[in-house]
Amino acid sequence: MGRLSWPSEAELDDVKKMVAKISGRGVDEVKVVVSPYRICPLGAHIDHQGGAVSAMTINKGILMGFVASENQQVVLRSGQFQGEVRFRIDEMQHPRPVNCKNGEDCTSNGTTIHEECQWGNYARGASYALQRAGNLLKQGIVGYICGSEGLDSSGLSSSAAVGIAYLLAFECANNLTVSPTENIELDWLIENEYLGLKNGILDQSAILLSRYGCLTYMNCKTKEHKLVKSPKLQANQSKEEHGEYKILLAFSGLKQALTSNPGYNRRVSECQEAAKALLSASGNSLLEPVLCNVEPEAYDAHKDKLETNLARRAEHYFSENTRVTKGLEAWSSGKIEEFGNLISASGLSSIQNYECGCEPLIQLYEVLLKTPGVFGARFSGAGFRGCCLAFVDVNHAAEAASFVKDEYQKLQPKLANQLNQETAVLICEAGDCAHVI
């Protein structure tokens, strides 16, 4: 199989030319990090509790062009945001949890942070994580970063893709050899320690470990991972259609950053409270209060002791773990319809048990469920942003995209009209892992 459809040669050339213009260096000196966005067909909301998850990347994402600077200076520009970010790579960075929108002053630990470019915090976070792990950084970069059009803040783990892009660029410029599993931990440091988001390692793992045509499985407790192939998809890999399915991404018009939405962190805390109560009831109160430390038998024996909200969070965790196991079996057997049914069930549990999403997003999910050719659908971006994903029959993808746009327009005309109609519903394919070209 030849090079995948993304990035195109034209996209690569544009990024290289931009870096050459900023740095005054030759186009042939520019390297490009390709850091794809990810989807999570099954395993929603359970990575932070050490659950089992599945994921794959798509052929959209972040491109980060860069050259090593001639000193310790880091100079960055963005295709999405205004301004220029500058800092020294040898300066020690300090955590700065961000709870505001891009461009606003933020308050962290009682200190107001005045920054011209808040988007640069992911680059500073990458420097922080590498230093925190004991890496010596001597070489800065001059770089330009951009994302696939219409997909920033979309719920496809664009933040993790950005963090990984900066990590790979700094590592390349400083001749550091860092394994994918080490980079998973480093990006976790960016988001959890540096930016103050309580999340797991699903996003980073998917972006760094996935391979084209495979479903990535990961046990977030043991960090064990494996790539699961589908027999039908293997047989069709050489065909232009890339197998029997396409990935549909449908946008609601809502945008909400996880770091400024208390609902996400609150759900994590509720899962921990449920775990603490279940472990205490089963005589294991000394274990860390995460749901992966609760045996399924202990959950069944003591779940009636949980408060209503905590019972729902625990029910989602244990039922979703089961769906991941069944989903791997369906995928490896080439049973795409069965796989799709499990995705839709995951979406329903996210609404009923995890209680995420809002009316427009739930309506979009329900539209996808009745769309011709769709195997299964659920929220993306944890349901705290505005995107849904679906697996759709390859022969009905265009028809399905048109149907979703028309039906959602009837339900939410104001939000639908805010969307770029060319990117309101995207037809995507599976992608590959993050790498440097």
Side-chain angles (χ1 to χ4, degrees):
M1 185 179 66
R3 194 171 71 80
L4 299 180
S5 60
W6 178 80
S8 67
E9 294 296 342
E11 288 173 307
L12 288 173
D13 287 345
D14 286 346
V15 170
K16 289 179 179 180
K17 288 175 182 175
M18 183 63 73
V19 175
K21 180 180 178 181
I22 297 169
S23 64
R25 306 271 280 280
V27 171
D28 58 341
E29 296 180 66
V30 180
K31 296 181 179 180
V32 180
V33 179
V34 178
S35 188
Y37 297 147
R38 71 95 185 101
I39 61 169
C40 171
L42 292 166
H45 316 294
I46 62 175
D47 61 325
H48 53 73
Q49 295 301 300
V53 299
S54 71
M56 63 172 61
T57 54
I58 61 172
N59 62 335
K60 306 284 182 184
I62 298 294
L63 298 179
M64 167 78 198
F66 69 97
V67 292
S69 58
E70 297 173 350
N71 48 42
Q72 289 80 33
Q73 192 71 32
V74 175
V75 181
L76 301 169
R77 292 185 190 173
S78 165
Q80 270 73 37
F81 301 109
Q82 295 293 317
E84 184 175 82
V85 168
R86 286 178 174 266
F87 63 94
R88 288 176 60 89
I89 196 68
D90 55 346
E91 292 174 348
M92 176 54 73
Q93 301 296 324
H94 300 285
R96 52 182 76 199
V98 176
N99 294 300
C100 66
K101 295 179 181 178
N102 182 65
E104 297 178 350
D105 291 337
C106 301
T107 302
S108 173
N109 299 325
T111 304
T112 300
I113 302 170
H114 296 281
E115 280 193 20
E116 188 175 343
C117 302
Q118 291 293 342
W119 62 267
N121 280 343
Y122 278 91
R124 294 185 179 90
S127 174
Y128 166 84
L130 285 162
Q131 292 171 327
R132 171 89 159 68
N135 295 287
L136 183 61
L137 301 178
K138 297 181 178 180
Q139 194 75 50
I141 61 171
V142 179
Y144 172 77
I145 189 166
C146 60
S148 294
E149 186 178 353
L151 295 181
D152 53 302
S153 300
S154 58
L156 303 171
S157 71
S158 53
S159 58
V162 168
I164 288 166
Y166 287 127
L167 286 171
L168 295 185
F170 287 145
E171 289 160 8
C172 184
N174 286 274
N175 296 312
L176 298 174
T177 301
V178 183
S179 70
T181 51
E182 289 173 311
N183 270 325
I184 290 169
E185 296 297 331
L186 291 174
D187 193 70
W188 186 91
L189 287 175
I190 295 174
E191 300 216 332
N192 286 261
E193 280 196 14
Y194 191 78
L195 293 175
L197 175 63
K198 295 180 181 179
N199 68 357
I201 59 172
L202 166 60
D203 296 347
Q204 304 91 322
S205 300
I207 293 167
L208 287 159
L209 300 175
S210 292
R211 293 292 183 273
Y212 174 77
C214 295
L215 188 67
T216 303
Y217 162 85
M218 183 152 196
N219 181 318
C220 295
K221 179 180 182 179
T222 65
K223 307 299 189 292
E224 170 203 359
H225 73 274
K226 62 182 177 181
L227 300 174
V228 183
K229 296 181 180 179
S230 171
K232 288 186 180 180
L233 301 183
Q234 290 179 66
N236 287 310
Q237 273 192 346
S238 61
K239 295 184 179 179
E240 285 186 6
E241 295 294 355
H242 301 299
E244 62 176 3
Y245 73 93
K246 294 281 188 181
I247 298 161
L248 215 62
L249 299 176
F251 300 94
S252 67
L254 297 167
K255 287 188 179 182
Q256 176 64 61
L258 290 181
T259 48
S260 62
N261 188 323
Y264 181 87
N265 284 350
R266 186 181 301 126
R267 295 297 188 283
V268 175
S269 297
E270 288 170 342
C271 288
Q272 292 169 337
E273 286 177 45
K276 185 175 181 179
L278 290 166
L279 288 169
S280 178
S282 58
N284 292 297
S285 58
L286 295 180
L287 294 177
E288 181 186 0
V290 286
L291 286 167
C292 65
N293 284 333
V294 179
E295 295 295 332
E297 296 78 14
Y299 167 65
D300 289 334
H302 303 291
K303 61 184 178 182
D304 58 340
K305 299 174 184 175
L306 294 174
E307 296 174 14
T308 302
N309 278 357
L310 304 189
R312 287 182 181 142
R313 308 302 176 255
E315 172 60 24
H316 176 75
Y317 173 86
F318 286 100
S319 65
E320 188 73 352
N321 250 336
T322 299
R323 282 187 287 271
V324 171
T325 301
K326 290 181 177 178
L328 293 177
E329 294 171 359
W331 181 267
S332 63
S333 302
K335 298 176 181 177
I336 191 72
E337 290 188 17
E338 184 179 329
F339 186 70
N341 288 336
L342 290 163
I343 293 172
S344 298
S346 170
L348 185 61
S349 182
S350 293
I351 295 168
Q352 294 182 341
N353 294 319
Y354 208 74
E355 295 184 280
C356 66
C358 54
E359 185 180 25
L361 200 54
I362 292 170
Q363 288 176 332
L364 184 56
Y365 161 76
E366 290 172 344
V367 166
L368 284 162
L369 291 185
K370 65 179 184 180
T371 299
V374 165
F375 297 122
R378 59 168 296 267
F379 299 154
S380 189
F384 291 96
R385 301 193 194 180
C387 176
C388 286
L389 69 90
F391 277 60
V392 61
D393 188 300
V394 66
N395 297 313
H396 294 88
E399 174 192 350
S402 179
F403 179 90
V404 173
K405 272 196 280 191
D406 291 345
E407 292 299 306
Y408 185 66
Q409 173 75 38
K410 296 174 188 175
L411 296 167
Q412 292 288 343
K414 186 176 180 180
L415 284 171
N417 288 334
Q418 293 175 10
L419 293 164
N420 179 336
Q421 293 308 300
E422 292 183 6
T423 57
V425 182
L426 290 176
I427 301 169
C428 303
E429 298 170 4
D432 211 340
C433 63
H435 58 283
V436 179
I437 297 176

